[in-house]
């Protein structure tokens, strides 16, 4: 079975949200992409009090100035597509009230005919937590645990009941229901997060930083699943953040997914050989506009399929 291919939608500041999201979504589905994806960045601190990913001194990309809301973006895409799955990679769970997020995802899934994939994470930005979180940064894992439980409850049969730290539902009818069970995927980078994934989630959403590293991580996760007695298959979507350059990158120090379309496809082939279900290709950060995003995405797709992915 061929690896499914997904494309990141245009959310960054250089795009026109109302015009470019529907345009790119339609074009990507027509090209053949299996899924469309969004990510979440709530704000851009200025001056930055914390480096990117919490790494001291690492600057935030300029593209993060004004990232569009992920669920609004997905809704725009859902309205103009029919087949492509609609995924989040990822929503920062503690920035959302669990009940409200569960209901929003259910509504989008019902409206789109069962196409939503919920990628959830805990985030890293202290500034985002200060502005929007429902609990302190130190409690982010507990919030994610409760959010997953609330989603399962809200998406399940009525009457819905739940008694948690953040959420209390005595007994209620909650609709609309999803068109089908919405899969929950987690990045799961730490040992504790991997256990959460194996025990409570449907799938894994790593970032592709090299095929060998990805293969080793996948093996470890499968071994953990076997140890903990999981029999249900783990769905997999690997996110690849590209740095596209029309002229390519000529040096031995080329990072994965950096360079021309041919170089990006070469890395896609290597990562596809690991055997995961799907690859999410993020191109929006290194192209000029929606027109170039569509053109490069179409070329990547065609060459990837020609290469056997």
């Amino acid at each position: 079975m061929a690896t499914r291919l997904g494309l990141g939608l245009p959310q960054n500041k250089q795009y026109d949200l109302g015009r470019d999201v529907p345009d790119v979504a339609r074009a990507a589905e027509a090209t053949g992409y299996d899924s469309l994806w969004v990510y979440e960045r709530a704000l851009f601190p200025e001056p930055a009090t914390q480096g990117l990913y919490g790494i001291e001194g690492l600057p935030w990309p300029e593209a993060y100035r004004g990232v569009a809301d992920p669920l609004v973006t997905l809704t725009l895409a859902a309205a103009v597509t029919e087949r492509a799955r609609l995924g989040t990679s990822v929503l920062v769970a503690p920035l959302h009230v669990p009940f409200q997020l569960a209901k929003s995802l259910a509504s989008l899934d019902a409206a789109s005919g069962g196409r939503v994939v919920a990628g959830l994470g805990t985030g890293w930005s202290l500034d985002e937590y200060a502005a929007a979180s429902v609990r302190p940064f130190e409690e982010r894992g507990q919030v994610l645990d409760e959010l997953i439980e609330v989603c399962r409850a809200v998406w399940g049969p009525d009457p819905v009941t739940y008694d948690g730290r953040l959420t209390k539902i005595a007994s209620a009818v909650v609709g609309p229901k999803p068109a089908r069970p919405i899969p929950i995927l987690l990045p799961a980078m730490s040992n504790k997060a991997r256990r959460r994934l194996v025990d409570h989630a449907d799938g894994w959403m790593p970032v592709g930083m090299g095929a060998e590293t990805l293969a080793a991580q996948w093996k470890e996760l499968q071994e953990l699943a076997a140890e903990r007695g999981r029999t249900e298959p783990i769905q997999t979507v690997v996110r690849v953040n590209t740095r596209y350059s029309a002229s390519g990158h000529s040096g031995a120090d080329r990072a994965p997914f950096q360079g021309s379309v041919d170089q990006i496809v070469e890395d896609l082939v290597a990562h596809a050989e690991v055997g995961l279900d799907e690859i999410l290709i993020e191109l929006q950060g290194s192209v000029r506009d929606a027109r170039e995003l569509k053109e490069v995405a179409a070329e990547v797709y065609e060459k990837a399929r020609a290469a056997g992915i």
Side-chain angles (χ1 to χ4, degrees):
M1 180 179 175
T3 303
R4 294 194 300 266
L5 296 177
L7 181 69
L9 289 167
Q11 294 172 263
N12 293 354
K13 69 169 189 174
Q14 73 263 42
Y15 299 104
D16 182 294
L17 182 66
R19 180 190 66 213
D20 292 341
V21 172
D23 185 30
V24 171
R26 278 191 296 258
E29 186 174 71
T31 295
Y33 278 97
D34 299 285
S35 55
L36 303 167
W37 297 83
V38 293
Y39 73 104
E40 183 162 37
R41 277 277 68 81
L43 48 72
F44 187 100
E46 193 172 46
T49 57
Q50 179 190 30
L52 185 68
Y53 309 130
I55 300 172
E56 186 176 356
L58 188 62
W60 287 50
E62 283 296 306
Y64 283 0
R65 291 179 180 271
V67 177
D69 179 87
L71 294 186
V72 170
T73 305
L74 274 191
T75 301
L76 289 168
V80 297
T81 56
E82 297 179 354
R83 173 187 54 80
R85 292 155 72 238
L86 306 163
T88 62
S89 175
V90 296
L91 294 177
V92 182
L95 304 186
H96 299 268
V97 175
F99 179 84
Q100 292 177 340
L101 181 59
K103 187 173 174 69
S104 293
L105 289 169
S107 298
L108 181 57
D109 193 74
S112 65
R115 293 190 279 148
V116 171
V117 179
L120 307 174
T122 55
W124 48 267
S125 170
L126 300 179
D127 292 281
E128 291 182 341
Y129 270 77
S133 69
V134 295
R135 295 296 301 171
F137 184 77
E138 293 75 20
E139 299 175 23
R140 59 196 182 280
Q142 299 171 40
V143 175
L144 177 55
D145 287 338
E146 179 160 326
L147 192 146
I148 292 172
E149 291 177 353
V150 170
C151 283
R152 303 290 193 205
V154 167
W155 300 342
D158 293 320
V160 175
T161 60
Y162 185 82
D163 185 12
R165 186 177 182 185
L166 295 169
T167 311
K168 297 187 182 297
I169 309 170
S171 180
V173 174
V174 184
K177 299 297 184 184
R180 91 306 187 214
I182 299 174
I184 294 176
L185 276 60
L186 306 176
M189 299 180 68
S190 69
N191 289 333
K192 184 176 182 179
R194 291 189 187 98
R195 291 193 295 272
R196 175 187 291 119
L197 187 159
V198 167
D199 293 345
H200 302 296
D202 300 291
W204 182 44
M205 182 169 279
V207 175
M209 303 293 288
E212 291 185 6
T213 299
L214 181 66
Q217 293 173 337
W218 178 222
K219 181 180 179 182
E220 290 175 2
L221 187 61
Q222 289 175 302
E223 290 173 348
L224 179 63
E227 289 173 9
R228 298 181 75 82
R230 176 172 178 142
T231 57
E232 182 182 359
I234 296 174
Q235 301 177 36
T236 51
V237 180
V238 56
R239 178 189 181 94
V240 299
N241 298 313
T242 71
R243 292 179 59 192
Y244 165 72
S245 170
S247 59
H249 184 88
S250 57
D253 61 339
R254 184 178 74 88
F257 304 106
Q258 176 182 357
S260 66
V261 167
D262 287 339
Q263 289 173 317
I264 290 171
V265 170
E266 177 183 335
D267 294 329
L268 287 173
V269 170
H271 283 68
E273 290 174 351
V274 174
L276 303 190
D277 301 326
E278 186 164 357
I279 300 175
L280 154 60
I281 304 167
E282 181 62 84
L283 290 164
Q284 68 170 309
S286 53
V287 295
R288 292 185 299 270
D289 51 28
R291 178 178 177 180
E292 187 176 27
L293 175 56
K294 290 186 295 180
E295 291 172 351
V296 175
E299 187 178 359
V300 168
Y301 182 90
E302 291 163 5
K303 290 188 173 182
R305 290 306 189 206
I309 296 178

